[in-house]
Amino acid sequence: MDPFVKKVLWFGGAYLLFAGAAAGYILLTGTLAKRTGFDAELAAQGSTLYAQHCAKCHGVNLEGQPGWETRRRDGTIPAPPQNDSGHTWEHADRQIFDIIKLGGALFSRRGERSEMPAFRGTLSDAEIWAVIAFLKSRWSPEIRDEQTRANLLGGLSHH
């Protein structure tokens, strides 16, 4: 084998090994999550928007509707909590954004009907991001770390 090709393969393999180890460390330790803060002004704006548009279904304290994990006979699912006890934090920011903007119907599993409306004509993109900032401001540090991992992985699982 050509010595140049051998060196390229060796250095390429070493780089991939190092990059994989670094990415694994960041994912497993939540290092990136610990460095991300909240924009208090954005979260405050999101709080107001949440109260106006979301609290009716998801609860004033982000508690969701009773029985939120059980599909109703008509196939609808009660609004889930947006706090630590729900599963919103398991999704990447972009998925949360899309659900708010486009509505839950596009993301429902077979046999389910989402009552989550689309807010595309009601909230601007910036306002949707403010609502997301508010939700995150109410999550525990541990949940925020987990949600940061979902962001890094692209929110591979979806409910």
Side-chain angles (χ1 to χ4, degrees):
M1 181 181 284
D2 182 1
F4 176 75
V5 172
K6 208 177 210 181
K7 283 182 183 178
V8 168
L9 290 175
W10 190 89
F11 283 112
Y15 172 79
L16 290 174
L17 182 64
F18 176 76
Y25 175 80
I26 289 169
L27 286 172
L28 293 174
T29 63
T31 300
L32 186 60
K34 293 172 185 154
R35 293 185 184 159
T36 57
F38 290 105
D39 179 333
E41 188 175 318
L42 188 62
Q45 178 190 6
S47 173
T48 301
L49 292 165
Y50 179 90
Q52 291 171 344
H53 301 284
C54 312
K56 175 181 164 189
C57 295
H58 292 284
V60 174
N61 294 311
L62 291 77
E63 72 274 12
Q65 294 175 338
W68 68 273
E69 293 179 285
T70 306
R71 184 184 324 166
R72 298 177 184 132
R73 288 185 184 179
D74 66 358
T76 59
I77 301 290
Q82 299 302 302
N83 60 23
D84 289 7
S85 70
H87 62 78
T88 300
W89 56 269
E90 294 178 6
H91 302 293
D93 288 349
R94 189 66 208 193
Q95 288 175 316
I96 299 168
F97 177 90
D98 288 343
I99 291 168
I100 295 170
K101 184 171 184 165
L102 304 174
L106 294 175
F107 305 96
S108 295
R109 292 182 286 191
R110 181 176 284 220
E112 292 180 353
R113 278 188 322 116
S114 175
E115 295 180 321
M116 173 73 181
F119 284 92
R120 121 177 84 222
T122 306
L123 298 174
S124 68
D125 288 1
E127 289 172 325
I128 293 171
W129 287 115
V131 169
I132 294 169
F134 167 67
L135 297 178
K136 289 179 163 196
S137 76
R138 300 286 303 272
W139 296 340
S140 68
E142 296 79 19
I143 292 297
R144 287 194 298 267
D145 283 352
E146 289 295 323
Q147 200 269 334
T148 297
R149 286 185 194 92
N151 276 326
L152 292 171
L153 295 172
L156 296 176
S157 67
H158 200 282
H159 300 277

